[in-house]
Amino acid sequence: MHFQSWAEFWAMGGYGLFVWLSFGTTYFLLLALLCYSQLQQKQFKRQLAAKLAREQRVKQYQEQSD
Amino acid sequence: MVALATFLQRELRLLARQKADWLNPVLFFVIVLSLFPLGIGPEPNLLRIIAPGVIWIAALLSVLLAAERLFKDDYRNGVLEQLVATRQALWPFVFAKLISNWLSTGLPLVLLSPLVALLLNVDSASFLAMLLTLLLGTPLLSLLSVLGAALTVSADKGGILLALLILPLYIPLLIFASAAMEAAAMALPYYGQLAIMLAMLLVALALVPFAVNSALKINVS
Amino acid sequence: MFKWLHPLAKPETVYQLCGRLYPWLLTAALLLLLLGNIWGLAFTPPDYQQGDSYRIIHIHVPAAIMSMGAYSAMAIAAFVALVWQVKVAQWSVLAIAPIGAVYTAIALITGMAWGKPMWGTWWVWDARLTSELILLFLYLGVIALSGAFSDRQTGAKVASLLAVVGVINLPVIHFSVEWWNTLHQGASITKFAKPSIDPSMLWPLLISILAFKVLMLALICLRLRTAILVNEQHRPWVRAMAGDQ
């Protein structure tokens, strides 16, 4: 461990703003991309399932009315 | 060759009928150039320093303006589809487009260059460099804008998309052309820059027609 | 080799494979990222010239390397897509492009945050920063082009063509920017000397580079699966799977 205390760790030898700004934006962007991609997939799966269910209902209704 | 001549004749006739297509970009070039002294100040020495960059950026933008409509009409009225459907080689059509595009956008810039040199207070040594870079560079601009236009023929949204696609590809040309003019202004030799521009032009001339060919086929089918 | 590669042209196989790989890749990437970054942040000595600000290297360099790696991966996929008309390759071009764009943006932002204490300004027209900016434009061009067509298939094909054109242009752009930079050296602020890196600093950096690479693979798996589903939604296997859930 190079730093003596937590306060020193956050200060980063006076460069705290720049170091934590870089790490913060990096993690934020990576996390945003990951969540967005996962959300896209979930949303599409949900849409597809809803579409199939609707088709199923239409088919059943048509069979009943015949 | 006969096919090339036929297509070229057709393109030139179209240009003669739709004068706005090639007059507007040229007008745009002159207007943009006259805006710079108004924005920065009429100081002759300052104008001479920024002239290379300003001239080339204005040239890039005006060529881009003309690129938008290159294939649009042929796509809308079905000419492109007919050409692809006949299964004949597309290259006479592509080269006719290239030549007519250069004649309608590149050549006017070359012809206007003395006027531009006067407006921006360019001395005679830099003027020669400017003429040479425009002669070598505008065909390359035409090649890249034909490529960009071919990629986006059937796109729903044009405009800014085309700029996003081709402007990054123009960067090397911008760098070497303005560097040649700066070198000329300092009385240094600039054959190296011209040679690199010529090399880029030849490589583009060899590769771009293939890319345009497949881009048109993808867009039509 | 083709016998081995051939099943990979079948969307269903790729979908299953990506699904199986994704959780492992994601876990490995997160563990490696944590290990590399904590080691780099807290357990290495500071640089004798740059103090603690050099610790930005542990995300800046991996993001920059992988932003270029993503472009070459995308260009290879695009080449395969155009020459052999492999659909999965077309979709992977579209899956990789946003990842590459985000990595490029990270490299730019961290480069600026590193430049401020070292060079005194947020932005210097340095050769590497400028090429990275142009790389971002190329990625944005591919993304914008793929979304500009009403026909999804045309968009994917045209974007592949642009990726191949871009990869031919990339070295030309890179060298012209580098040459332009040496020409205007007087205007830019003098760069600090690049000393050879100490082994104690090198290991966490290598781990972080690996972490960014594995994370890219995980993201490609995730995004490619979505793309396969969207493009194959009318095929029986997708419908059967969606019906089960």
Side-chain angles (χ1 to χ4, degrees):
Chain A
M1 185 81 187
H2 164 70
F3 294 97
Q4 306 300 324
S5 67
W6 279 106
E8 218 175 276
F9 178 67
W10 294 120
M12 276 287 155
Y15 295 116
L17 171 67
F18 306 110
V19 173
W20 298 120
L21 181 73
S22 323
F23 277 83
T25 39
T26 302
Y27 292 147
F28 172 75
L29 283 175
L30 289 179
L31 205 66
L33 180 64
L34 186 67
C35 290
Y36 175 69
S37 305
Q38 246 160 6
L39 190 75
Q40 253 184 337
Q41 194 174 80
K42 277 208 190 96
Q43 229 164 21
F44 182 75
K45 276 182 181 166
R46 211 177 302 140
Q47 271 175 14
L48 192 64
K51 201 174 102 184
L52 287 180
R54 193 163 58 236
E55 276 173 20
Q56 202 75 40
R57 278 199 304 278
V58 169
K59 205 192 259 174
Q60 270 173 2
Y61 177 74
Q62 279 172 344
E63 276 165 9
Q64 277 170 11
S65 60
D66 279 343
Chain B
M1 271 308 159
V2 179
L4 177 62
T6 319
F7 278 119
L8 195 58
Q9 209 175 6
R10 170 176 173 274
E11 292 298 327
L12 292 179
R13 194 172 297 143
L14 282 174
L15 282 175
R17 286 186 189 159
Q18 300 175 326
K19 296 189 182 64
D21 272 9
W22 55 275
L23 272 177
N24 285 354
V26 175
L27 213 57
F28 175 82
F29 177 67
V30 177
I31 291 173
V32 167
L33 281 180
S34 57
L35 282 181
F36 273 92
L38 294 174
I40 297 170
E43 179 66 36
N45 283 329
L46 186 64
L47 287 182
R48 193 179 305 137
I49 293 168
I50 61 163
V54 166
I55 290 167
W56 267 96
I57 290 172
L60 297 185
L61 294 178
S62 74
V63 168
L64 192 67
L65 202 64
E68 172 87 61
R69 289 173 45 78
L70 256 177
F71 290 111
K72 272 275 181 295
D73 289 338
D74 289 334
Y75 176 70
R76 286 218 190 94
N77 61 27
V79 171
L80 262 181
E81 209 162 351
Q82 291 291 323
L83 278 173
V84 174
T86 53
R87 295 193 161 276
Q88 277 181 345
L90 272 177
W91 70 262
F93 176 69
V94 173
F95 274 97
K97 276 282 178 201
L98 268 172
I99 296 169
S100 69
N101 179 257
W102 183 74
L103 286 176
S104 63
T105 57
L107 191 60
L109 298 191
V110 177
L111 295 177
L112 271 177
S113 58
L115 177 70
V116 170
L118 290 177
L119 278 177
L120 291 177
N121 200 29
V122 175
D123 55 30
S124 56
S126 309
F127 171 67
L128 185 64
M130 179 175 133
L131 199 63
L132 290 174
T133 54
L134 279 174
L135 269 175
L136 279 176
T138 46
L140 184 54
L141 287 185
S142 290
L143 278 164
L144 291 176
S145 52
V146 166
L147 174 62
L151 284 170
T152 55
V153 191
S154 67
D156 307 327
K157 313 156 205 159
I160 195 72
L161 177 68
L162 192 59
L164 190 59
L165 299 189
I166 15 184
L167 284 183
L169 306 183
Y170 282 162
I171 288 170
L173 182 63
L174 175 66
I175 289 174
F176 285 109
S178 43
M181 287 177 65
E182 276 169 23
M186 290 186 283
L188 295 170
Y190 51 89
Y191 302 114
Q193 284 90 318
L194 290 184
I196 290 176
M197 286 174 70
L198 183 62
M200 291 196 293
L201 174 62
L202 291 178
V203 171
L205 198 59
L207 294 179
V208 165
F210 289 105
V212 172
N213 193 17
S214 51
L216 288 178
K217 279 184 182 155
I218 291 170
N219 268 288
V220 168
S221 60
Chain C
M1 191 177 92
F2 281 103
K3 214 171 200 172
W4 181 72
L5 279 176
H6 197 255
L8 287 182
K10 203 175 160 216
E12 191 180 351
T13 325
V14 180
Y15 181 83
Q16 306 291 359
L17 184 71
C18 284
R20 238 175 295 142
L21 286 177
Y22 174 65
W24 296 104
L25 287 173
L26 189 66
T27 321
L30 294 181
L31 287 177
L32 284 169
L33 193 65
L34 275 178
L35 175 66
N37 280 359
I38 291 177
W39 188 352
L41 273 172
F43 294 92
T44 53
D47 188 75
Y48 77 106
Q49 265 183 326
Q50 307 180 32
D52 286 314
S53 74
Y54 98 95
R55 294 178 199 279
I56 295 174
I57 201 175
H58 296 296
I59 42 176
H60 176 71
V61 166
I65 290 178
M66 281 306 132
S67 69
M68 284 177 261
Y71 202 94
S72 42
M74 187 172 82
I76 291 168
F79 187 76
V80 172
L82 288 176
V83 174
W84 289 288
Q85 303 284 324
V86 180
K87 292 227 165 104
V88 179
Q90 276 171 26
W91 303 332
S92 36
V93 171
L94 304 190
I96 298 171
I99 305 170
V102 167
Y103 275 27
T104 316
I106 289 175
L108 278 172
I109 293 169
T110 53
M112 286 167 77
W114 197 0
K116 177 66 183 161
M118 288 303 108
W119 293 326
T121 57
W122 291 99
W123 184 266
V124 175
W125 288 97
D126 164 77
R128 274 168 296 171
L129 277 177
T130 312
S131 331
E132 198 75 1
L133 184 67
I134 296 165
L135 186 67
L136 181 64
F137 291 151
L138 288 176
Y139 275 124
L140 293 181
V142 172
I143 296 171
L145 190 60
S146 68
F149 295 85
S150 48
D151 180 36
R152 213 184 296 119
Q153 206 64 45
T154 311
K157 276 188 196 163
V158 175
S160 307
L161 190 58
L162 181 66
V164 172
V165 171
V167 88
I168 295 170
N169 261 281
L170 213 52
V172 180
I173 294 175
H174 181 75
F175 286 116
S176 64
V177 166
E178 210 144 80
W179 179 81
W180 161 81
N181 192 244
T182 52
L183 189 74
H184 295 269
Q185 196 57 267
S188 73
I189 299 152
T190 47
K191 273 180 271 182
F192 47 87
K194 269 260 170 273
S196 58
I197 194 162
D198 188 75
S200 71
M201 297 172 176
L202 187 63
W203 274 109
L205 181 61
L206 288 179
I207 292 173
S208 297
I209 292 174
L210 189 65
F212 270 69
K213 186 172 192 156
V214 177
L215 183 63
M216 182 175 93
L217 291 177
L219 284 166
I220 291 175
C221 282
L222 175 64
R223 299 188 58 86
L224 186 57
R225 260 162 77 91
T226 316
I228 289 173
L229 281 182
V230 172
N231 285 288
E232 297 269 286
Q233 53 181 300
H234 301 298
R235 295 288 161 92
W237 70 269
V238 178
R239 298 171 74 92
M241 198 180 55
D244 288 342
Q245 283 166 355

